[in-house]
Amino acid sequence: MSCLFCQIASGEISAIVVHKAEGVTAFRDIAPQASTHVLIIPDRHIDGADAMAASDEALVGKLIHVAAEIARVEGIAERGYRLVINQGRDAGQTVDHLHLHLLGGGPLHTPLV
Ligand code: 5GP
Ligand code: ZN
């Protein structure tokens, strides 16, 4: 298995895991772009948003639910946070395993949307 995030999900590569739910792992980004920067991934490999199947809808929805839970635990839910999925080259996707960025803990850069 060569996928970096598959290896983090299985524990073969270490990361600061902040939350484990059935089928989902959340860990701190190695190069944080905000004081809270957590990546939430499905344990099962999905290349990205473009590779999502209808049968993945519940699992991908769970990523958002877990992110909201982590935001509450981190104490940033009240002030707000941003959830981002980068898909493909133009968006800057660098790891081809679907991941949701949870960013917060202070004012974020001017939003694109
Ligand atoms: P992308 O640019 O694909 O949306 O986001 C990939 C994210 O993964 C980046 O923010 C990057 O810092 C993070 N990342 C890359 N390699 C590692 C790693 O080995 N461990 C952790 N915890 N994060 C990583
Ligand atoms: Zn993977």
Side-chain angles (χ1 to χ4, degrees):
M1 183 69 73
S2 60
C3 170
L4 175 64
F5 285 179
C6 279
Q7 290 177 290
I8 287 177
S10 69
E12 287 167 67
I13 287 181
S14 64
I16 301 170
V17 173
V18 296
H19 193 96
K20 262 279 187 194
E22 193 183 338
V24 174
T25 299
F27 54 94
R28 297 201 188 279
D29 196 292
I30 202 165
Q33 294 180 48
S35 49
T36 293
H37 188 173
V38 173
L39 302 173
I40 302 101
I41 65 168
D43 291 344
R44 178 165 57 74
H45 185 91
I46 300 172
D47 272 348
D50 188 56
M52 188 184 159
S55 57
D56 297 324
E57 284 176 6
L59 179 60
V60 175
K62 189 169 180 176
L63 302 182
I64 297 176
H65 199 214
V66 166
E69 165 111 29
I70 294 166
R72 283 190 291 272
V73 170
E74 298 267 325
I76 63 170
E78 199 172 312
R79 287 191 48 162
Y81 51 86
R82 186 171 298 147
L83 301 177
V84 174
I85 292 175
N86 291 319
Q87 166 58 47
R89 194 176 49 217
D90 274 1
Q93 184 181 5
T94 57
V95 179
D96 290 337
H97 180 129
L98 179 66
H99 50 281
L100 178 65
H101 295 258
L102 164 63
L103 298 148
L108 297 165
H109 300 301
T110 308
L112 286 172
V113 292

